[in-house]
Amino acid sequence: QGQLVESGGASVQAGGSLTLSCVDSGYITSTSCMAWFRQAPGKEREGVAAIYIGGANKFYVDSVKGRFRISRDNVKRTLFLQMNSVKPEDTATYYCAAKLGGLCRPDLRYGYNYWGQGTQVTVSS
């Protein structure tokens, strides 16, 4: 119940690309919101991007706008984060998260109920 499983983390050189995936166990509905967060060593967890499952609304934090793209394949129940032009400061453990209603933003204050185990992204210069 309420499982999220991430994959796709890897080591990549600066300027490269990477795509993360997150599969849910079937409880996500059209009123749900899903998001990607990240946490670097010694830093607080921060939001990256969020998407309304039932609509086209997507939200990004300023540091990744124009470089990252969030999307979801509803048939495969898979959330994606396409990461382009990656930078060393993108190095972190990336987490998939979900909430079943309410305002959808990539921000911990909006109360995400379900979390994945995390996948590591390391960007070398």
Side-chain angles (χ1 to χ4, degrees), residues 65-82:
K65 281 181 181 176
R67 301 189 298 122
F68 291 9
R69 179 175 178 270
I70 190 171
S71 63
R72 176 175 158 90
D73 184 326
N74 289 334
V75 174
K76 296 182 179 179
R77 310 198 69 82
T78 303
L79 180 74
F80 298 100
L81 183 68
Q82 183 176 346

Side-chain angles (χ1 to χ4, degrees), residues 1-8 20-28 34 36 71-81 95-98 114-117:
Q1 179 180 354
Q3 283 192 323
L4 296 170
V5 180
E6 303 104 330
S7 62
L20 306 182
S21 301
C22 172
V23 180
D24 72 81
S25 56
Y27 59 96
I28 299 297
M34 296 189 76
W36 289 98
S71 63
R72 176 175 158 90
D73 184 326
N74 289 334
V75 174
K76 296 182 179 179
R77 310 198 69 82
T78 303
L79 180 74
F80 298 100
L81 183 68
Y95 297 91
C96 172
Y114 304 98
W115 291 86
Q117 81 288 351

Side-chain angles (χ1 to χ4, degrees), residues 49-96:
I51 183 171
Y52 270 118
I53 301 305
N57 298 50
K58 302 176 182 180
F59 306 92
Y60 299 92
V61 296
D62 287 345
S63 60
V64 306
K65 281 181 181 176
R67 301 189 298 122
F68 291 9
R69 179 175 178 270
I70 190 171
S71 63
R72 176 175 158 90
D73 184 326
N74 289 334
V75 174
K76 296 182 179 179
R77 310 198 69 82
T78 303
L79 180 74
F80 298 100
L81 183 68
Q82 183 176 346
M83 305 168 61
N84 299 317
S85 302
V86 295
K87 305 175 181 179
E89 50 263 45
D90 294 321
T91 295
T93 300
Y94 283 72
Y95 297 91
C96 172

Side-chain angles (χ1 to χ4, degrees), residues 33 37 97-103 105-115:
C33 168
F37 288 80
K99 58 202 297 280
L100 302 185
L103 192 62
R105 294 292 187 276
D107 191 316
L108 287 170
R109 294 174 296 177
Y110 292 104
Y112 286 82
N113 308 103
Y114 304 98
W115 291 86

